[in-house]
Amino acid sequence: MTAEPPMPKLLVVDDEARQMTALCNTLRDQGYETTGFSAGQAALEALRSTKFDLVLTDLMMPEMDGITFLRAALALDPTLVGVVMTGHGSVETAVEAMKSGALDYILKPFKLSAVIPVLSRAMTVRRLRLENAVLEQRVRERTKQLETANSALEDANKELEAFSYSVSHDLRTPLRHVDGFAQMLASRYEDQLPEAAQRLLAKVCTGAQRSQQLIDDLLNFSRLGRQPLQKRQVSLSRLVEEVLREHQGEREGRQVDVAVDALPDIQGDHALLKQVFVNLISNALKFTRKREHAVIRVAVEDAGEQWHFFVQDNGAGFDMQYAEKLFGVFQRLHHEDQFPGTGVGLSIVQRIIHRHGGRIWAEAEVDKGATFHFTLPKASGLE
């Protein structure tokens, strides 16, 4: 069996005691649980200890008028719904009461056919206010949980960055020693070492140098979370020209066509934005190395409030089922023997783009090239 809903609890306040009692009795017969008072102060005391759904208050009372009482009642319980009672000559006062928080008013002398619809509407509003209060409480709790989680995540990220920075610094010196001593051994005793030993020493040097590069990349990645952005006007056209000049050596002896759109000026950190294009263009040059005719394009589209950039190549590409790993630290989709690298560069790119208020993603097909897309806001979206 379904439980009967509780009767609405109605507080009636009227300094005319007989009228208040009669109203309580009449409305009790209409399904309301009524409590009556002939003074506002006594009614407020009841509100402090008992939850009511509705308040029906007279406007003109000697000790405390209905407007003052209603404001005090709503201060105790903002979800409470108030209805005022007034004579024909006080309609303007009733309107003022509604401005103070009353939902509606009814005129004296009472007609039950007029009172019941007003109270019915008031109960509907009461239920909505209670539901809204529950939702607001859930939102506050959820917001607090998110703030706590974000704070914990921020603390964890700071600790991780500090740990990465510390470990990286501690590892650099011994690795430099390994590389230096191995090279000294190879150069001083080259004639005395058998060919197999020379090959092993070469691998030691290569491994140490790669580890040093990985540590440098890790340090760069950890610094990105700490250093503030140096915001200024950046000409991306000049920036990309500069990057291409610096990578001219990677194009020598190859047929490489590079097409660059007219790129916009934006507000951002010049050094970090340059790092974005350094990584993406050097990747395009690297992964097109096995092409007889490499084609690379740097382009931009107007996407409303953002610029949509993309760096496209016709190189090795990758399988899109692994695309989610692409921007993870130390994640690689190609074997190092094919295309060397540390697997940190795209993580750095992603962090820079995010700090500038944009996003980055990639599309590719194996052996048919890759396109790296990213957005940057036209207005300042800097962290």
Side-chain angles (χ1 to χ4, degrees):
M1 294 179 61
T2 304
E4 288 290 330
M7 288 192 299
K9 299 187 72 171
L10 173 62
L11 180 64
V12 180
V13 187
D14 193 330
D15 63 313
E16 297 181 23
R18 287 185 179 179
Q19 185 166 264
M20 179 268 293
T21 301
L23 194 56
C24 284
N25 292 336
T26 300
L27 294 176
R28 191 175 295 119
D29 293 338
Q30 298 298 318
Y32 292 88
E33 181 183 336
T34 59
T35 304
F37 291 92
S38 57
Q41 197 61 52
L44 286 177
E45 290 301 320
L47 278 171
R48 290 188 176 94
S49 59
T50 307
K51 278 285 185 182
F52 288 90
D53 296 302
L54 307 178
V55 167
L56 187 58
T57 179
D58 190 18
L59 270 178
M60 307 304 293
M61 296 186 292
E63 177 190 337
M64 178 186 294
D65 64 59
I67 292 177
T68 303
F69 168 75
L70 189 59
R71 286 174 175 164
L74 290 174
L76 291 173
D77 182 0
T79 66
L80 196 64
V81 180
V83 177
V84 295
M85 301 178 288
T86 183
H88 284 289
S90 305
V91 173
E92 290 183 2
T93 309
V95 172
E96 289 301 313
M98 292 174 68
K99 292 180 181 178
S100 301
L103 175 72
D104 208 339
Y105 68 91
I106 54 178
L107 297 174
K108 298 178 180 180
F110 301 118
K111 291 183 179 180
L112 193 60
S113 60
V115 174
I116 295 303
V118 171
L119 294 182
S120 178
R121 287 196 299 272
M123 269 308 299
T124 299
V125 172
R126 165 68 172 174
R127 284 191 290 269
L128 290 173
R129 286 183 182 179
L130 288 173
E131 291 171 3
N132 188 59
V134 171
L135 290 174
E136 287 180 350
Q137 180 61 28
R138 289 177 180 173
V139 169
R140 285 194 293 269
E141 292 173 356
R142 182 61 175 163
T143 301
K144 186 175 181 180
Q145 291 173 357
L146 289 174
E147 288 174 350
T148 302
N150 287 337
S151 177
L153 180 60
E154 185 177 343
D155 290 342
N157 283 336
K158 287 179 180 178
E159 291 176 3
L160 180 59
E161 288 168 1
F163 175 76
S164 299
Y165 190 80
S166 175
V167 169
S168 299
H169 267 290
D170 291 343
L171 288 175
R172 293 177 89 184
T173 299
L175 279 171
R176 281 198 298 267
H177 289 165
V178 169
D179 184 34
F181 288 134
Q183 291 193 46
M184 287 173 58
L185 182 62
S187 61
R188 291 184 182 181
Y189 302 100
E190 182 177 4
D191 296 336
Q192 302 175 36
L193 292 174
E195 187 176 337
Q198 293 182 34
R199 285 198 301 270
L200 290 173
L201 275 178
K203 289 184 177 180
V204 169
C205 293
T206 299
Q209 291 164 11
R210 182 180 181 279
S211 297
Q212 288 184 72
Q213 182 60 55
L214 188 150
I215 289 170
D216 289 341
D217 288 346
L218 184 59
L219 281 172
N220 289 333
F221 184 74
S222 67
R223 289 191 189 105
L224 283 175
R226 300 192 308 273
Q227 65 186 36
L229 297 179
Q230 303 297 320
K231 176 185 172 184
R232 63 174 173 134
Q233 189 82 352
V234 179
S235 169
L236 293 182
S237 288
R238 287 200 294 270
L239 186 149
V240 170
E241 288 176 7
E242 183 180 343
V243 172
L244 290 172
R245 282 197 304 271
E246 292 173 359
H247 287 74
Q248 182 61 38
E250 298 179 38
R251 299 160 62 183
E252 292 178 359
R254 300 174 54 191
Q255 185 179 356
V256 181
D257 291 341
V258 181
V260 182
D261 283 3
L263 303 178
D265 294 354
I266 68 165
Q267 289 288 318
D269 188 304
H270 182 278
L272 294 182
L273 290 173
K274 181 178 179 180
Q275 187 66 44
V276 168
F277 284 99
V278 164
N279 276 291
L280 295 180
I281 290 174
S282 63
N283 273 357
L285 289 168
K286 176 170 66 176
F287 289 107
T288 57
R289 192 171 297 155
K290 297 181 180 181
R291 290 283 184 264
E292 290 186 11
H293 181 194
V295 178
I296 298 170
R297 183 186 177 200
V298 181
V300 64
E301 294 176 348
D302 190 330
E305 296 182 356
Q306 295 182 317
W307 293 112
H308 171 201
F309 299 90
F310 52 95
V311 179
Q312 188 175 53
D313 66 67
N314 65 336
F318 57 85
D319 191 332
M320 283 295 291
Q321 68 174 315
Y322 304 115
E324 62 182 22
K325 297 182 178 181
L326 201 61
F327 298 99
V329 180
F330 305 138
Q331 296 289 341
R332 294 175 48 82
L333 302 187
H334 300 87
H335 196 277
E336 188 180 356
D337 292 342
Q338 295 176 300
F339 301 101
T342 61
V344 180
L346 289 177
S347 301
I348 291 174
V349 169
Q350 184 186 58
R351 180 168 286 195
I352 293 171
I353 295 299
H354 285 176
R355 292 198 65 192
H356 280 78
R359 66 187 186 96
I360 184 168
W361 69 100
E363 297 173 340
E365 190 173 345
V366 175
D367 205 37
K368 292 188 178 180
T371 303
F372 284 86
H373 304 260
F374 63 93
T375 62
L376 291 172
K378 292 181 180 178
S380 177
L382 304 184
E383 175 188 280

